[in-house]
Amino acid sequence: AHRLDPRPLRRLIVRGLAHLARIEKPPTESADVRELWETFGVTLDPYSSDVLVLGLHPPGQTPLATALKAFREAGTAARITLDQLDRHRDGLSTDPVVFACENPSVLAAAAEQLGPASPPLICVEGWPSTAGRQLITRLVADDVRVCYHGDYDTQIQTAAAAVLAWSDDRGTEGGGNNPAVGTDTAAL
């Protein structure tokens, strides 16, 4: 698999697969590339993509729900793999609102200061992973409000995965007011 890591070779292969699948524009997002590979019977590693969470409480008695309940009760963070998300078909939160942040230090501070009382928090660690995007997409599809707080930068503006409610207390970009920051929705 690592032989496909160099970007020019990877792009060439993805373009070729897209052509064979009669897809006009080759995918660039990880989830779409993964789906394209699966079209040709190649399943990419479901364990490398994960997302960091704190206080997430899915309903049910699945292994994921049981494990996350134990982590929540202990007031500690957990990593959810793409495989675990794929196997857990129930809802992913009993809470109507889940918070999301960009920086693991924010999640660490919440764990330290709030412990088991922390509201549910997802950390996208900069650019959201496939697992992170799938988690957020599924939460939104289940009518859970996901409130994001982080940098209002081009990276976040151009990442395409899920609809999030912006909550940026600076309210500015480049020193000026930005109407897209506050309670509007924007693509992550």
Side-chain angles (χ1 to χ4, degrees):
H2 286 291
R3 292 183 181 178
L4 298 178
D5 285 348
R7 290 192 184 268
L9 178 58
R10 181 180 180 273
R11 279 194 300 256
L12 179 64
I13 292 170
V14 168
R15 284 178 53 201
L17 291 174
H19 175 75
L20 291 172
R22 293 185 161 86
I23 298 173
E24 199 170 308
K25 184 179 177 194
T28 56
E29 295 294 322
S30 298
D32 298 330
V33 171
R34 185 180 304 267
E35 188 176 313
L36 177 62
W37 276 105
E38 288 176 358
T39 300
F40 289 92
V42 178
T43 302
L44 300 180
D45 170 22
Y47 300 103
S48 295
S49 182
D50 60 26
V51 59
L52 185 62
V53 300
L54 174 69
L56 195 62
H57 186 236
Q61 299 297 316
T62 66
L64 180 61
T66 302
L68 288 178
K69 180 181 179 191
F71 280 111
R72 181 179 180 150
E73 289 172 355
T76 190
R79 288 203 175 270
I80 304 173
T81 67
L82 188 58
D83 177 70
Q84 291 167 326
L85 285 171
D86 287 342
R87 291 174 186 266
H88 182 87
R89 300 317 305 167
D90 297 336
L92 288 162
S93 179
T94 56
D95 298 286
V97 176
V98 172
F99 297 91
C101 65
E102 181 177 11
N103 194 319
S105 63
V106 173
L107 186 137
E112 170 93 15
Q113 294 176 19
L114 302 172
S118 175
L121 179 61
I122 300 166
C123 180
V124 298
E125 299 181 83
W127 190 270
S129 66
T130 301
R133 289 192 311 269
Q134 185 181 118
L135 174 60
I136 292 168
T137 299
R138 286 180 52 190
L139 287 168
V140 170
D142 288 341
D143 293 324
V144 174
R145 183 165 185 220
V146 178
C147 297
Y148 177 80
H149 179 87
D151 293 339
Y152 185 76
D153 57 17
T154 306
Q155 183 178 20
I156 289 298
Q157 293 175 49
T158 58
V163 176
L164 300 178
W166 285 96
S167 173
D168 189 323
D169 57 2
R170 291 174 297 137
T172 63
E173 177 189 16
N177 286 331
N178 186 322
V181 178
T183 58
D184 294 340
T185 58
L188 171 70

